[in-house]
Amino acid sequence: MRRTLGFLAVLLAAVAGVAQRQTLSQPEVYKVESIVSQMMTVHHIPGASVGVVMNGVPVWTHGYGMADVEGDVPARDTTEYRLASVSKPLSAVAAMTLAEKHKMDLDVPVQKYCPAFPQKEKPITMRQLLSHTAGIRHYKEKDADIPHGAENTKHFDTMKDSLSMFANDPLEFEPGTKFGYSTYGYTVVGCAIEGASGENYLTYVTHAVLEPGGMTHTVVDQVQAVVPNRARGYDLLNDQLINAGLMDSSYKVPGGGLLSNVDDLSNFMAAMMGNKIVSAETTTLMWTPVKTSDGKTSGYGLGFGMRDQHGWTTISHTGGQKGTSTIVFMIPEKQFGVVILTNLEGQGGPLTEAAEEIADELLKAKPATR
């Protein structure tokens, strides 16, 4: 009996030790909070939520400032923010799950899966769409149906309907020859996901990405829906806080129309680095910069961007639109990740700098020069 009790005591101590390691220490929390506080103060950010992944495990999340200034609602780790272009990695991963199931060929004309998208001067493939090398245009002022300072306010009920925003426009360059960032290209990705899976975009993304990724609070940004914990969005005018311009993101759901929180995105980063949604081989493919036919490397793979930080390869994506700025930032070699979601638009640079600073502080020693 004493031997059994002794074994249980050792086991419980070991479990407690693991649990203790799976959180940030108080000095580490202080370092993160100092960086976040500086970012919010300098850039007048009303609300921000932050999550950290260490050793492949989500270890800490917290909210700062106000999710709703007028309503006096504080930002929390459960606050739901517009993801903006951080929606793209989720859509890209969904497409790659179809490729792994042999339901989608990345190198055939996309009309095989999205016949509603018209034929162009040259064929366009899913690989080109995912890597922004398809030649489909990005936003133009004509896309807004109200004055400058706002975006589209028309609601689209289906992915096919939202193609009308751009589908009949000519390509800006021959597919595969250049890098040209395009949120509209990801609308075609969403259409192809529906065609290849035989399901609605969100239905497929939910069981292919969100469920295995442990993401229970990621939803489509529907302006008329009542979404618990949704942040109110803001902009700055002469350094004064104002309510963000109106926008209905139904025209770009796969590339910029999802809502989520830092808990879900911390789980997503951990799942990606742990190969829990797609295989290690697929992850490596997605996290390898695509070369265009002119021999240049864009610094973007399939749904993710990559760059160097002190000899480590960082995998990230930023997002920005009406009332939000966001980033997911990973260093897979260290099984490390940071997510920062805010309710102020136009802050991509500051969020990137903050994520890099947090990585430097928490990872401490920099790697040797390679």
Side-chain angles (χ1 to χ4, degrees):
M1 182 68 173
R2 282 196 297 269
R3 184 177 301 171
T4 301
L5 290 173
F7 171 76
L8 288 173
V10 171
L11 179 61
L12 289 171
V15 171
V18 170
Q20 188 174 9
R21 285 194 298 273
Q22 292 182 347
T23 187
L24 295 183
S25 67
Q26 196 55 47
E28 289 172 328
V29 170
Y30 176 76
K31 290 176 181 177
V32 173
E33 290 184 334
S34 295
I35 293 168
V36 173
S37 176
Q38 175 77 359
M39 174 192 74
M40 294 179 70
T41 301
V42 171
H43 300 286
H44 310 289
I45 297 172
S49 298
V50 184
V52 175
V53 174
M54 297 281 281
N55 299 316
V57 178
V59 295
W60 180 83
T61 57
H62 207 278
Y64 300 93
M66 305 303 295
D68 182 342
V69 174
E70 292 174 315
D72 197 31
V73 179
R76 302 182 176 89
D77 51 7
T78 55
T79 300
E80 297 273 313
Y81 298 84
R82 282 178 161 168
L83 292 188
S85 287
V86 171
S87 304
K88 291 182 176 71
L90 303 182
S91 296
V93 173
M96 296 307 290
T97 64
L98 288 165
E100 286 189 335
K101 296 172 184 175
H102 306 291
K103 292 185 176 182
M104 178 178 283
D105 186 331
L106 299 180
D107 298 306
V108 302
V110 71
Q111 286 81 7
K112 178 178 179 179
Y113 312 110
C114 180
F117 185 68
Q119 298 283 342
K120 295 297 179 181
E121 307 92 288
K122 297 284 185 178
I124 293 174
T125 67
M126 282 295 293
R127 191 183 304 272
Q128 292 164 345
L129 289 164
L130 293 170
S131 61
H132 298 289
T133 59
I136 294 175
R137 72 172 179 88
H138 196 41
Y139 305 133
K140 291 182 179 178
E141 283 192 18
K142 73 171 188 173
D143 296 336
D145 60 5
I146 52 179
H148 181 70
E151 279 194 29
N152 173 72
T153 56
K154 180 180 178 180
H155 184 76
F156 294 89
D157 292 323
T158 67
M159 200 77 64
K160 180 179 177 181
D161 290 343
S162 65
L163 294 173
S164 64
M165 291 283 290
F166 64 92
N168 293 320
D169 294 342
L171 298 179
E172 297 199 327
F173 54 83
E174 182 177 336
T177 62
K178 297 179 182 179
F179 175 85
Y181 190 84
S182 173
T183 290
Y184 288 137
Y186 266 71
T187 300
V188 185
V189 167
C191 176
I193 288 172
E194 292 189 337
S197 68
E199 297 179 319
N200 169 271
Y201 167 82
L202 184 62
T203 300
Y204 183 76
V205 170
T206 296
H207 67 72
V209 180
L210 304 185
E211 290 175 357
M215 306 172 72
T216 58
H217 295 90
T218 301
V219 298
V220 169
D221 176 18
Q222 298 183 33
V223 294
Q224 293 181 326
V226 176
V227 179
N229 301 309
R230 191 204 298 248
R232 190 178 182 109
Y234 299 95
D235 196 358
L236 291 175
L237 180 63
N238 300 324
D239 287 335
Q240 296 297 311
L241 200 66
I242 62 172
N243 288 313
L246 302 175
M247 183 193 72
D248 185 321
S249 62
S250 60
Y251 72 104
K252 56 176 181 178
V253 171
L258 298 178
L259 293 172
S260 192
N261 61 30
V262 292
D263 283 325
D264 270 23
L265 289 172
S266 294
N267 288 339
F268 174 68
M269 292 189 295
M272 286 302 297
M273 290 188 287
N275 305 310
K276 294 178 180 178
I277 306 177
V278 291
S279 69
E281 181 181 8
T282 296
T283 301
T284 298
L285 175 63
M286 298 186 77
W287 291 352
T288 299
V290 169
K291 287 188 177 181
T292 51
S293 62
D294 59 6
K296 296 180 180 179
T297 301
S298 65
Y300 198 96
L302 305 180
F304 295 86
M306 52 279 317
R307 57 185 294 186
D308 179 82
Q309 182 178 348
H310 309 314
W312 288 317
T313 297
T314 67
I315 308 297
S316 65
H317 211 296
T318 58
Q321 62 184 207
K322 294 303 168 189
T324 194
S325 298
T326 60
I327 186 171
V328 288
F329 176 96
M330 293 174 280
I331 302 178
E333 181 182 347
K334 303 298 292 183
Q335 290 288 288
F336 174 85
V338 177
V339 52
I340 306 174
L341 307 178
T342 75
N343 58 351
L344 182 67
E345 60 190 85
Q347 304 302 312
L351 265 62
T352 299
E353 293 171 5
E356 292 175 344
E357 287 183 46
I358 290 170
D360 283 343
E361 288 290 349
L362 296 184
L363 296 178
K364 297 176 181 177
K366 297 179 174 61
T369 303
R370 297 175 181 174

